[in-house]
Structures are given as C-alpha cells and as structure tokens.
Amino acid sequence: MKRFIGFIQKEFYHILRDRRSLFILFGMPIAQVLLFGFAITNEINNVDIAILDHSKDATTKEIISKIAASKYFSIKQVIDNEAAIATAFKKGHIKAVLNFENDFSKKLISENKATIQILTDATDPNTANTISNYTASILKNYQEDLNKGATLSYQIVPKTRLAYNPELKSVFMFVPGVMTVILMLVSAMMTSISITREKELGTMEILLVSPLKPFQVIIGKVVPYILLAVINAIIIILLSLFVFKMPVQGSFFLLGAESILFIINALSLGILISTISTSQQTAMMISLMGLMLPVILLSGFIFPISSMPLPLQLLSHIIPAKWFIIIIKGIMLKGVGIEYLWKETLILIGMTLFFIALSIKKYKIRLE
Amino acid sequence: MNKENAITVKDLTKTFGAFTAVNNISFEVGRGEVFGFLGANGAGKTTAMKMLIGILKPTSGIATVANFDVISHAEDVKKSIGYMSQRFSLYNDLTIKENITFFGGIYGLKKTDIKVKTQELIEELGLHDEANKLVGALPLGWKQKVAFSVSLLHNPQIIFLDEPTGGVDPITRRQFWEMIYREAHKGKTIFVTTHYMDEAEYCDRVSIMVEGKIEALDTPKNLKTQYKVDTMNQVFLKLARNIE
Amino acid sequence: MGISVKNISKSYDKVMALKDISFEVKPGELFGLIGPDGAGKTTLFRILTTLLIADKGEATVAGYNVIKEYKSIRNHVGYMPGRFSLYQDLTVEENLNFFATIFGTTIQENYDLIKEIYVQIEPFKDRRAGKLSGGMKQKLALSCALIHKPKVLFLDEPTTGVDPVSRKEFWEMLKRLQKKGITILVSTPYMDEAALCDRIALIQNGNILEIDTPEVIKNSFPKTLFKVKAAETFKLIQDLGSYELTHSAYPFGEYIHFTSNNVDFNAKDLVQYLESNGHTDIEVNETAPTIEDTFMELSK
C-alpha cells in the first residue's frame, strides 16, 4: 500500500508541475461552457430582414409593424422591386425578404386569400428554417386575430408546449454535451498520454523491472485523473447553475454517481489507448480522432441521432457518450431517477467492464 | 589577416546574463587542418561553435570563418560551411537517395547536379544496394558516413563535425576517419567538436576548453609530452582536475 | 548466483539481434559487454532484466529463471537503461524517494550503499532532475538503481555522452560497489573502458567474438603490430592500402596501426617502401595491441 501511495504522490507531482496542461485542464471546460452558452446558439435574435411591399395598404402595414415589433426581426431595408432582392441577399446582411403581393388587402377581403412570399438565405439552413417558422407563426397569430368573432366551421388549433426547456435555451442542450466531452477528454486523453509518456521517457522500463504490479501502475495512474475529472464536472455544473440558471431537476447524488461511472468508463478507454500507442503523440491522435470526434458527432450532442442514416444510428449505440448524454439530460432537465435510466446505466457499466477487462488483457508486463 | 587561415578567432566572448559561457578565446585554424575542439559538457564548446557557424551573435570579439566575418556576413559563412552532428544528420524515414536529393535541394544545387552527385556519392560509398532503403534501417556507422558525404554536397570549405563517431563500430570508424583525411588532403578544413578523447587523437591539433577558456592548444603529441602522459584522455583529466 | 546465458537468440522482424549467445558472469564479478551501437547489447540487457523474451535459449539472473521467475528478478536487480530514465520534473530527492518507495524501502535503510555517490549530488537535492548536468544525472540514476540493495546491477551504456572526468569517477564507483558484493554487468561502446572490467565479452552484430579477461584478449592478438607515421597521413593510408605485404592498416590516433600478411615481415622493408613512395618523417615501431586492435582483427 505504501508503494501505491508513493506512486500516486509522484503522479500528483507530474500533474501539478505541468502548469500549462493544468491550465488547459481547468481553463478549457470553463471556456467551452461559456462559449457554448453565450456565443454558439440555435436561437435567433434581431435578424436583419428586408420588406418588399407591392400593395402598401393598411393590412400590410399592420403585418409589417407586428413583425418589426417582435424581438426576432429587425427591418433593415425597404426595397421596391424584385430585382433588388438578389442585390440585398448578395450584400449578405439581409437574411430574409418578405414580399407582399399587389392589392393585398383587396384580395384578402374579396377572395379570402392573399400571398406573402418569405424568401430566406438558406446558405445557413438552420437559421433559414427558424426564420420561416417564426414568420409563419407571427402571420398565424395575426390571422387568428382577424378571424376573431367569425365562425369557421372546422378548426384544429395546435397548442404547443415546450416541455423541460420552455424558452428553448440552447445552453440546456450544450451543458450536458460539453460535460460529456470534457470528462471524456480529461479522463481518456490525459491518462493515455500520461502512461505513454512513461514509455517514451524510458521510465516504464524501470517501473517494469520493479516489484510494482501492473494493476498498481494502472490504478495509480487513474486515481489522480478521477479526482481531476470530478472537479471538472463540479465546475461545469456550478457554472450552469449560477451563470446560465439551468436548474438540475433530478438528484445530485445520482448525477454524481453516473458521472463517476462515465469517468471510469473513459479512463479505461484511456488505458486501452495507451496499451496500443508507443508515443504521446499517437496517444493524443487516437484520443482526438477515435474519441472526441465520435463524442461530438455521434453522441447526439449536436446532431440528433434520430435524423442520422441508419448505419450511423447503429454506430452511435457503441459510443458510451451517447448513453451518458441521455442519462444526464434525463437527470438535469427532466428530473427523472434511476427507474427510468437503469437501462442506459447498465449499458455503461457493461461497456466499462469490457474496456477494463480488455486493457488488463492487453497490458504488457514486458516491452512488446 | 592570413589568407591561409580557414578560421580566425580573436578575443571571442559570449555572456548570458551574468554567466560567461565563452571567455575571451583566441585561436586560428589553418586551411586543410583537422582541428579538434574539446571540452566537457558545459565547458562552452557548443556556444563557441554556434558563434562560428553564424547562428549565435558574440558578445564581443572577432571571428572570421572562410574569410567572412561571422557577425556582418553570417549568411556567407553559412554558405561556406558544412555541418554534421551525431544527434541530427539525416531523416530516418527517408531513403538514402531521398536524403541526398533533399539536402542537395536545400543547399541550392541544380536538379541535374543533384542527380549526378547522388549517383557519384552512392557509388563512392558502395551503397548501391541500399540506396533505396530507409536511413533508419542502416547501421549507425553507415548513417554517419552518408551524413558526412551529404554535408559535403555544396562543396563547403570548412566542415563542422559534432561528435561524429561516438558509438560507431571500430572498423567503420576508421573508414570514417579515412574519409575525413581525404577531404583534409583536398584542402578542406575539418573542425571536430567532441568530448571523446580517442576522437581527439586523430586531429592535427586540438584545443581543450575548460569553463569557457581554452586551457591548452597544441598537437596531441606535444600535449601528451607536455603533461607527461600516454593518452589525450589523461591530458584532459589533468586539465580538468587542476580546475577543481 | 551471478548471471548465466545459454544459447540465447532473438530477432526482430528479419533482423537477428542476438545469435546463439552464451556466457556466464560469476557472482561478484564486474563484467563488461563491449561493442558498438547495434551490436545487440541493449536487447541482451532487456532479456536479462525480463523486459523481453528470447526466441531461443535460457538465462538465469541471481539464480532465477528470466521467464518463470521474472517477479523475483524484478525484486532483486537494479537496472539503469541506456537513456536517462528518471522523472525530469521531479527533484533529485523526490526521484530517489520514489524509487525507494516502489521497492518497499527507504533512503535511510540503504543509505550506506549509495552514500558515496549520493553525497556528491546531495547539495542539489531540491533541483529538478532535468536540470542536472550529464555527470550528475548519471550519478542520480545509479543511486536510484541501487536504492533497494540489488544483488545484480545492470548498466546499459552508462558512460555514453558523459565527459571523461565523470566517466572516470563512474568507473571508480563501480569498483567500490563490486567490493560490496554486487554482481555488475555493464555495457559500453568504448573499448578503452574494457580494461576496467574483470572480464569482458566483445560483441558485434549479435555475435560474441571473444570472452576473457582484458589482458588475455589483448595478448591474443595474432600478429605483430606496428605503429606507422609519416608527414602525409592521407597518402600514408593510401600507400599502406596498396602495399602487397599489408594485412591490415587502420588509422589509430596520430599513427596507423599496421600488420603484415608475411610472418617474416621486417619493418625495414616497409620503411624502404614508404621512402620509395616519397614519404618523409617516417616512423615504424612495434607496439602493444589494444582491445580495439583485437576487436577489429576478430570482426574482420
């Protein structure tokens, strides 16, 4: 036991003396959460649009003023012919143009029908989509106001409620994702690098030719990073609680336990990577390409899994991060307990055991 | 200034803050001479050599290499010298041919010249069968021979060698020294820095640096006579001991 | 209780690193493995320190089999790899403490063994190992390899890249350690260090050329050796190369070491030959062969 404690002490010396890595280790999660929370967002605010109003009557004016009043749009330009639309888009500031047809009011009254063309700049498809949805809903509201009192024979009124994230804050979606990425990074990449560094420096040779047992080396490498990863998880949760006012609906205890499970899962992956790489550089490349990319792309962190092609959907099943994201979204946003998450938890436990077994099997008691 | 001197160093000094790495050294190396520049780790020989090859600016003093001043004409100095070190000489993941072509390109040789030179070099070294093998797979001695030839590609007047034969097997080592003597015979000047005293025995003259100063400069034979010992190793030990 | 190596072979891919090697190191002996880079020294060290498994053959260290009893070996040997393999970001004292701890001992317990070496670096015990000079690094590495009082000490090229003064001190330390009953296997590419060992094995390309005491190996040189000198060294090399009575002619410092293929060779003939080729300041004298001369003769 004394040997083991001595080993862990040495690991802490390494970590604490490498100021630059330490800074990255703790600076990165904070930077990422803030970046995702404030800068990168799916919401639209004050999008610049242009108006082309061919009729210029009372109805169009009313609609335009409703649109101008909304916080989503700001009318930057009024244009008077079709040709100017293209120019406006090409300049790049205008994201959408509302084109009202001739005799808008007249047609609305005589034919019960008038047309607005919504042109959006779809070079950014997400924004274009959101813009047209928002515009449509403003128009729909206006139309409902018009019809008030009038009796329409059949009408289906959809009432939408946005559960768990009523304001559609994207930070609610990013915090679980960022937490997953950070825990994966700290645990898997840092352990794999720290083990391969011993190989690269040649100190592994001396450790092997010593009474230290392989599992002592591995556990000794892992313990400090469990601690670091837990600290990181706490920082992220505190940030989301106090900076983004994102409530944690479920149990903190369960959240902590599941996080530690995921950390151990990532650490065992890290050990596995270190057994197949001989240099710190390879370990880092494998961690980045083999872990980070799938975590970001295939875990449902940014891109919804259900809209992926089937092969990718199947592939996403073997990515531990996917299950962890489901779990923490459940705990943080929906407030559900283990009774709804036992399946995902079991899958994570299974994967962890598999990785640990594999890395013990792969761990070499000799050089090559 | 004597035209026959390949290197002239006068009162050369380099300080880093309060630390004087090279302390007022002066010496001359004649054309065609094999000159050994010896010293323990940290004695200042690397710093001195960096100044001579024009990559480090002296604090004071004058140094001329191939008749160019190392401060005002550093670029001309670099063009007139070849450099080979034990630690870095060739790319292990390129073949012998690729290495030669690459360094030929760096030294500004014409494409046609590179082709001719490459062929010549491979014939000369008897490496015909190995020309397309990766340098990493060659024994150390061969690597060093190829590296030496590569440092000669641009026909430099002076060649700086940094511990060129440490760890090389004895026979290949002799072949290496024969190559060095051949170049010296052709009139090239060879400047060898090393702390292996048996390498020093091969030089025409050697200087021994101790703590930034040149403590001895003569032929190995005279130094051995002067200090009444049999080997350069013992000369070195005596000099270093006196300091402590 | 020393080291026993029987018919060990090892190859990587297509390269045979060790070819059927056998030798014995007696308990308490200072045994040198002398050969250039790539001779197979490091491979042999790794097999003996249980880091690699040989393709063929058997070996024991301190009486333990290197494969079956590798755990016991790991408890009882000290190993200093060729590269400086300590933690550069840990201080001198932290490094030593760490290695003491993982071997289940303390610095105090075995201090008498490392005292002589460690006192020299003790003034720098709070300095990071990466900031030490070459000689001091090597002393620290040796202290760390000794801290658990090993029965057998493996030193792979400990003096490579170290200046002559530190080299000399290092060999003096080894001699003192040997007196304390530690068996030492040391490798080096420097032939001049061979004389400091009790017995040596000359090794090249995975073969052992000769095993014996340095004296016997020197005296086994089969020919009369001459040292030759003239004003023009390069021309001398060339002319000796084309001399019909030459068996070997190698530059050796300021001289050329020369042997003849003729048993009745007379030095006067050589002087005459050189004079007729226009050499001046000719010296031809008989000289005592060195280990290096024998090595070259054997590997020819």
Side-chain angles (χ1 to χ4, degrees):
Chain A
M1 199 58 198
K2 242 183 118 184
R3 291 176 185 179
F4 183 59
I5 290 170
F7 193 90
I8 291 182
Q9 187 185 13
K10 175 197 79 109
E11 287 308 311
F12 272 109
Y13 285 143
H14 289 320
I15 294 168
L16 295 176
R17 286 189 187 161
D18 187 359
R19 289 285 154 83
R20 211 167 22 163
S21 301
L22 203 62
F23 180 75
I24 294 173
L25 215 55
F26 287 111
M28 194 176 54
I30 298 174
Q32 280 207 9
V33 171
L34 295 180
L35 205 67
F36 278 117
F38 285 124
I40 304 164
T41 149
N42 280 340
E43 304 152 36
I44 59 164
N45 273 316
N46 286 322
V47 172
D48 293 342
I49 59 167
I51 303 286
L52 172 55
D53 187 355
H54 288 292
S55 34
K56 295 201 173 78
D57 53 33
T59 320
T60 61
K61 277 197 181 124
E62 213 171 325
I63 294 174
I64 289 168
S65 70
K66 271 203 180 286
I67 283 173
S70 91
K71 65 167 180 167
Y72 307 119
F73 301 109
S74 86
I75 297 169
K76 265 280 133 77
Q77 206 178 341
V78 176
I79 47 185
D80 47 18
N81 61 64
E82 241 84 29
I85 296 178
T87 327
F89 276 134
K90 277 179 188 156
K91 277 190 185 154
H93 303 299
I94 302 299
K95 294 287 174 210
V97 176
L98 301 186
N99 184 358
F100 295 86
E101 68 174 329
N102 274 328
D103 304 324
F104 193 86
S105 285
K106 227 183 262 174
K107 280 185 187 161
L108 194 62
I109 291 160
S110 59
E111 299 168 29
N112 277 344
K113 195 178 146 205
T115 317
I116 305 176
Q117 185 187 26
I118 306 167
L119 285 146
T120 52
D121 175 359
T123 48
D124 177 356
N126 282 334
T127 314
N129 208 4
T130 319
I131 291 174
S132 67
N133 286 340
Y134 282 19
T135 323
S137 92
I138 293 175
L139 290 172
K140 195 170 143 262
N141 279 335
Y142 177 72
Q143 194 179 329
E144 277 167 12
D145 286 345
L146 275 184
N147 289 340
K148 222 172 249 168
T151 43
L152 286 162
S153 38
Y154 301 104
Q155 198 172 20
I156 295 170
V157 183
K159 285 218 160 177
T160 322
R161 192 173 77 91
L162 300 164
Y164 309 123
N165 184 4
E167 293 170 68
L168 279 178
K169 277 195 182 168
S170 39
V171 70
F172 282 28
M173 167 182 157
F174 283 127
V175 164
V178 169
M179 187 154 136
T180 313
V181 171
I182 297 287
L183 292 186
M184 196 58 154
L185 196 74
V186 172
S187 315
M189 193 158 92
M190 294 295 172
T191 12
S192 65
I193 288 177
S194 119
I195 296 178
T196 41
R197 185 174 52 206
E198 301 249 7
K199 288 194 201 174
E200 219 174 281
L201 288 176
T203 43
M204 194 52 108
E205 267 181 68
I206 302 192
L207 292 183
L208 285 173
V209 188
S210 81
L212 218 53
K213 294 184 181 67
F215 83 86
Q216 285 177 317
V217 175
I218 290 189
I219 306 289
K221 283 276 170 195
V222 157
V223 167
Y225 289 103
I226 292 187
L227 203 75
L228 287 182
V230 168
I231 295 176
N232 259 317
I234 294 173
I235 293 178
I236 296 172
I237 291 172
L238 289 180
L239 272 180
S240 56
L241 278 178
F242 295 107
V243 179
F244 299 109
K245 312 279 183 246
M246 174 182 172
V248 173
Q249 310 280 5
S251 129
F252 274 102
F253 175 76
L254 186 62
L255 184 62
E258 296 278 3
S259 298
I260 289 172
L261 172 63
F262 182 67
I263 289 168
I264 293 172
N265 180 293
L267 287 169
S268 48
L269 265 174
I271 296 165
L272 198 59
I273 291 173
S274 73
T275 60
I276 54 172
S277 39
T278 46
S279 72
Q280 296 183 62
Q281 222 181 349
T282 346
M284 197 158 92
M285 285 310 285
I286 297 179
S287 305
L288 283 176
M289 303 302 285
L291 297 180
M292 296 306 294
L293 281 183
V295 167
I296 292 175
L297 300 177
L298 291 176
S299 66
F301 165 24
I302 295 176
F303 308 105
I305 293 172
S306 53
S307 44
M308 285 176 195
L310 188 66
L312 287 185
Q313 284 194 34
L314 292 177
L315 193 62
S316 76
H317 289 323
I318 60 162
I319 298 191
K322 169 192 161 162
W323 305 105
F324 183 61
I325 286 184
I326 296 176
I327 293 172
I328 54 173
K329 272 189 178 170
I331 300 172
M332 293 172 99
L333 301 177
K334 300 185 191 163
V336 295
I338 190 76
E339 63 274 16
Y340 291 101
L341 297 170
W342 62 270
K343 199 180 77 184
E344 286 80 7
T345 308
L346 272 184
I347 292 175
L348 267 188
I349 292 175
M351 284 179 165
T352 308
L353 291 177
F354 175 74
F355 291 141
I356 290 176
L358 200 61
S359 45
I360 286 176
K361 199 170 163 272
K362 282 248 169 189
Y363 186 83
K364 297 183 186 86
I365 54 161
R366 296 188 162 86
L367 297 170
E368 294 318 312
Chain B
M1 214 164 286
N2 187 350
K3 270 226 158 130
E4 282 303 297
N5 276 350
I7 300 174
T8 312
V9 174
K10 209 161 167 3
D11 306 325
L12 197 65
T13 298
K14 179 73 193 179
T15 56
F16 297 103
F19 174 67
T20 307
V22 174
N23 191 354
N24 210 24
I25 60 169
S26 301
F27 62 90
E28 287 166 0
V29 182
R31 194 167 166 265
E33 196 175 6
V34 180
F35 188 83
F37 197 60
L38 320 180
N41 291 326
K45 59 184 191 329
T46 312
T47 311
M49 198 186 67
K50 279 184 182 166
M51 291 193 276
L52 293 184
I53 61 177
I55 58 172
L56 190 69
K57 217 176 154 186
T59 309
S60 64
I62 304 170
T64 7
V65 172
N67 289 327
F68 293 114
D69 184 278
V70 294
I71 303 173
S72 56
H73 291 84
E75 289 312 308
D76 293 314
V77 168
K78 286 180 201 165
K79 276 178 205 149
S80 336
I81 59 169
Y83 176 72
M84 174 202 147
S85 99
Q86 158 91 274
R87 284 171 292 276
F88 169 80
S89 39
L90 299 172
Y91 291 100
N92 278 333
D93 50 355
L94 298 184
T95 66
I96 296 183
K97 252 190 185 162
E98 286 162 350
N99 263 296
I100 300 175
T101 312
F102 171 74
F103 282 103
I106 281 197
Y107 291 136
L109 265 64
K110 284 197 213 104
K111 263 198 179 155
T112 44
D113 287 353
I114 293 178
K115 260 197 176 161
V116 177
K117 276 264 182 188
T118 308
Q119 217 45 50
E120 262 177 35
L121 237 157
I122 287 167
E123 294 296 331
E124 214 175 290
L125 293 169
L127 292 173
H128 211 85
D129 298 335
E130 278 80 17
N132 289 317
K133 275 191 192 160
L134 295 185
V135 164
L138 291 180
L140 179 69
W142 290 20
K143 258 191 237 179
Q144 297 300 84
K145 285 203 287 189
V146 176
F148 181 63
S149 307
V150 164
S151 72
L152 293 170
L153 273 177
H154 57 305
N155 199 24
Q157 298 175 44
I158 306 169
I159 303 138
F160 287 84
L161 304 174
D162 189 8
E163 286 167 17
T165 63
V168 174
D169 78 87
I171 292 185
T172 315
R173 195 166 184 196
R174 264 65 196 190
Q175 295 167 348
F176 193 90
W177 278 102
E178 284 176 24
M179 288 171 76
I180 291 180
Y181 286 142
R182 185 194 306 135
E183 293 309 318
H185 185 72
K186 285 186 200 161
K188 298 208 187 303
T189 307
I190 317 283
F191 189 94
V192 185
T193 53
T194 182
H195 58 224
Y196 300 125
M197 292 307 131
D198 49 347
E199 271 188 330
E201 306 264 6
Y202 290 84
C203 301
D204 294 332
R205 281 194 310 148
V206 297
S207 73
I208 300 181
M209 256 184 114
V210 182
E211 296 186 344
K213 286 186 184 153
I214 291 185
E215 289 294 329
L217 200 168
D218 212 328
T219 62
K221 195 179 181 179
N222 288 347
L223 285 175
K224 284 185 271 187
T225 321
Q226 187 190 336
Y227 289 91
K228 299 185 187 66
V229 289
D230 298 328
T231 63
M232 278 306 295
N233 203 33
Q234 288 163 308
V235 172
F236 188 90
L237 288 176
K238 276 205 164 177
L239 269 170
R241 277 286 143 76
N242 285 343
I243 295 296
E244 275 170 8
Chain C
M1 270 295 284
I3 301 166
S4 151
V5 177
K6 275 193 205 115
N7 309 105
I8 289 280
S9 295
K10 173 80 185 171
S11 55
Y12 302 105
D13 297 327
K14 284 174 205 152
V15 187
M16 280 284 266
L18 292 173
K19 299 165 191 162
D20 200 26
I21 292 231
S22 302
F23 66 92
E24 301 267 335
V25 179
K26 293 172 206 145
E29 199 171 23
L30 174 53
F31 192 94
L33 210 53
I34 320 285
D37 281 13
K41 304 190 297 287
T42 300
T43 305
L44 184 58
F45 268 77
R46 287 181 170 168
I47 290 172
L48 293 178
T49 50
T50 75
L51 287 168
L52 283 179
I53 295 179
D55 300 338
K56 270 189 223 126
E58 268 186 33
T60 62
V61 172
Y64 301 112
N65 182 291
V66 289
I67 295 168
K68 288 181 216 126
E69 296 163 295
Y70 76 96
K71 282 185 182 160
S72 309
I73 292 182
R74 290 178 181 192
N75 271 303
H76 293 298
V77 303
Y79 173 42
M80 195 172 139
R83 285 183 300 161
F84 176 68
S85 303
L86 297 175
Y87 298 103
Q88 317 249 0
D89 55 341
L90 263 54
T91 66
V92 168
E93 200 178 21
E94 285 162 355
N95 264 298
L96 195 58
N97 241 325
F98 172 69
F99 285 104
T101 318
I102 64 169
F103 278 97
T105 178
T106 58
I107 298 182
Q108 289 73 33
E109 203 172 319
N110 292 318
Y111 190 71
D112 57 314
L113 188 64
I114 60 158
K115 190 180 161 196
E116 276 180 277
I117 308 160
Y118 190 59
V119 286
Q120 301 176 48
I121 47 172
E122 211 164 10
F124 312 100
K125 65 181 182 173
D126 293 324
R127 193 181 287 189
R128 303 240 170 123
K131 295 237 154 71
L132 295 174
S133 73
M136 288 204 282
K137 275 183 184 168
Q138 181 206 36
K139 280 171 195 153
L140 175 60
L142 183 61
S143 303
C144 291
L146 281 171
I147 193 66
H148 58 293
K149 218 172 183 176
K151 291 177 182 161
V152 182
L153 190 57
F154 291 94
L155 308 167
D156 192 6
E157 297 204 8
T159 53
T160 296
V162 175
D163 64 66
V165 180
S166 305
R167 266 168 72 183
K168 187 162 179 284
E169 285 173 357
F170 195 81
W171 278 96
E172 285 161 3
M173 287 185 289
L174 292 192
K175 287 280 180 192
R176 284 196 292 269
L177 287 173
Q178 189 195 2
K179 290 209 180 76
K180 290 179 176 160
I182 298 174
T183 309
I184 303 172
L185 181 65
V186 57
S187 74
T188 176
Y190 306 116
M191 306 281 160
D192 54 336
E193 290 180 344
L196 303 164
C197 304
D198 295 339
R199 284 195 307 143
I200 54 172
L202 300 182
I203 179 168
Q204 177 154 22
N205 296 330
N207 288 307
I208 287 186
L209 304 172
E210 189 79 87
I211 305 170
D212 219 315
T213 65
E215 264 326 289
V216 171
I217 287 186
K218 267 191 244 173
N219 294 335
S220 71
F221 192 75
K223 291 181 180 290
T224 315
L225 186 71
F226 295 91
K227 55 179 187 179
V228 185
K229 194 178 160 111
E232 289 259 5
T233 311
F234 183 63
K235 190 166 183 302
L236 181 64
I237 296 170
Q238 285 187 314
D239 289 341
L240 286 175
S242 49
Y243 184 42
E244 54 180 3
L245 295 179
T246 300
H247 169 72
S248 68
Y250 294 118
F252 227 97
E254 54 183 321
Y255 294 97
I256 311 295
H257 278 192
F258 169 88
T259 58
S260 172
N261 51 22
N262 187 343
V263 198
D264 305 318
F265 175 75
N266 189 333
K268 280 181 188 152
D269 297 340
L270 178 59
V271 177
Q272 226 163 36
Y273 166 77
L274 292 176
E275 276 172 349
S276 68
N277 276 289
H279 283 280
T280 56
D281 304 331
I282 303 166
E283 281 178 47
V284 178
N285 291 306
E286 220 181 295
T287 187
T290 64
I291 300 277
E292 201 161 1
D293 289 300
T294 317
F295 191 99
M296 287 194 286
E297 184 60 31
L298 288 168
S299 63
K300 211 176 168 186

